[in-house]
Amino acid sequence: MMSGGVGKYTHIDNQKVSGSVPSVPDPGHVAVQFTDSNLQTFPPSESQGKISGGTRPPRDADDTFSKPVSGSEESQQGGWFRTFTVAAYKPYFDVDTTDVLERIKYSLFPFRGTFTEKTLSNPDLYGPFWICTTLIFVAASIGTFVTYIAHKLQKKEWNYDINLVTWSAGVFYGYVLLVPLVLYVILKYFSAPSGLVQLFCLYGYSLFVFIPALCLSVIPVEIFRWVIAGVAGFMSATFVALNLRAHIMSAGERWFFIVAGIFLLQLALSVVLKLYLFTVTV
């Protein structure tokens, strides 16, 4: 009796379940289509980056030093504000020892007149800065040494003169900064403009000849010192004048007076150096 009843209830339950859950028809073959992926193949097929054959770093890599961030201070700086940044002067110090020595060699052969052409594409401020700094050191040390020996030979008391350092710094730094700046304005007025950095470079290297001249001024012969100062001044003046002559000739008939003024101003510098640095008074 009970087995028959269980079978009856089971048949009823199966009918209820089959009536409440409809059958799902077979959809058949379903085609799934994937869109093309944007994933980059590794390694890439083409060269990327600054180095040929190199690979680009991942997107999350820090490339702060290679590209300024949009809206950053570096990307927004321009005009006169860029003048007060270190990056504005980096190209003018992009020289090595070979370049500086070659330019010094040209300054010691002033009659060539090719210094401006050699440095037209890459004028530097590194050489002029260290030439002026070396001149200040040499002038102070040589002047101090010579005066010390002169005092000791005459058995007189000697005191160190700090004004020799400050005076030398004012003369050399001031000359290299102010004279090219004034000449730049003059050439621009006469419609023969020249690069300001180019003028700084030319005048800076023109002073190198005074370094060996100051060293030779140790010899305590007044006539010899005048000859040394005159030769150094003539070489420096010729170097500047000949290198600017071809450019200044485009200024018209007044070019001769401009070149003559440049030549005489450089000679005047040598006279000033002779009177204040090449002369020893006890």
Side-chain angles (χ1 to χ4, degrees):
M1 289 289 293
M2 292 187 64
S3 62
V6 171
K8 181 178 179 181
Y9 290 136
T10 302
H11 179 69
I12 294 173
D13 292 340
N14 289 337
Q15 288 181 349
K16 290 181 179 181
V17 171
S18 61
S20 60
V21 180
S23 61
V24 180
D26 187 7
H29 179 70
V30 179
V32 180
Q33 184 178 1
F34 294 93
T35 59
D36 294 335
S37 176
N38 292 326
L39 296 177
Q40 184 182 10
T41 58
F42 185 86
S45 58
E46 58 180 2
S47 60
Q48 297 178 353
K50 294 183 179 180
I51 303 176
S52 178
T55 58
R56 186 183 298 274
R59 282 297 185 90
D60 57 349
D62 186 10
D63 58 350
T64 306
F65 294 97
S66 60
K67 184 175 64 176
V69 181
S70 178
S72 64
E73 183 179 359
E74 181 180 357
S75 61
Q76 293 179 355
Q77 286 178 347
W80 285 101
F81 292 99
R82 189 174 181 274
T83 307
F84 302 99
T85 62
V86 178
Y89 301 94
K90 286 176 63 177
Y92 305 122
F93 291 84
D94 188 18
V95 290
D96 53 18
T97 305
T98 305
D99 296 330
V100 174
L101 292 178
E102 184 179 359
R103 296 176 182 190
I104 290 175
K105 182 181 68 175
Y106 277 106
S107 68
L108 296 177
F109 295 93
F111 296 100
R112 294 179 178 179
T114 58
F115 180 85
T116 305
E117 298 177 1
K118 298 293 183 180
T119 60
L120 184 61
S121 61
N122 185 27
D124 73 284
L125 299 177
Y126 180 86
F129 172 77
W130 283 111
I131 288 174
C132 292
T133 305
T134 305
L135 272 171
I136 296 169
F137 172 77
V138 171
S141 58
I142 294 296
T144 302
F145 175 75
V146 172
T147 54
Y148 174 79
I149 295 299
H151 280 75
K152 289 301 180 182
L153 290 177
Q154 298 185 13
K155 296 181 179 180
K156 294 183 178 181
E157 184 181 359
W158 174 82
N159 294 317
Y160 177 73
D161 188 10
I162 190 62
N163 294 325
L164 190 62
V165 178
T166 56
W167 189 89
S168 301
V171 168
F172 293 119
Y173 282 144
Y175 187 85
V176 172
L177 289 175
L178 294 180
V179 174
L181 185 60
V182 173
L183 182 60
Y184 172 78
V185 175
I186 294 175
L187 294 179
K188 197 168 185 179
Y189 175 78
F190 287 105
S191 300
S194 178
L196 182 59
V197 178
Q198 183 73 30
L199 294 176
F200 285 145
C201 180
L202 178 65
Y203 271 88
Y205 281 99
S206 70
L207 299 182
F208 177 81
V209 69
F210 290 105
I211 296 179
L214 283 171
C215 295
L216 292 175
S217 67
V218 176
I219 301 175
V221 179
E222 191 66 16
I223 298 178
F224 179 76
R225 289 173 176 171
W226 272 108
V227 172
I228 291 299
V231 171
F234 178 79
M235 292 178 61
S236 179
T238 304
F239 173 73
V240 176
L242 290 183
N243 279 281
L244 290 176
R245 182 185 61 178
H247 179 76
I248 297 177
M249 287 178 67
S250 61
E253 298 178 355
R254 298 184 180 89
W255 74 268
F256 178 79
F257 298 100
I258 300 176
V259 174
I262 293 171
F263 185 86
L264 294 176
L265 185 62
Q266 204 78 357
L267 283 180
L269 174 65
S270 64
V271 174
V272 172
L273 295 180
K274 168 62 185 71
L275 294 177
Y276 289 93
L277 295 179
F278 289 52
T279 302
V280 178
T281 58
V282 179

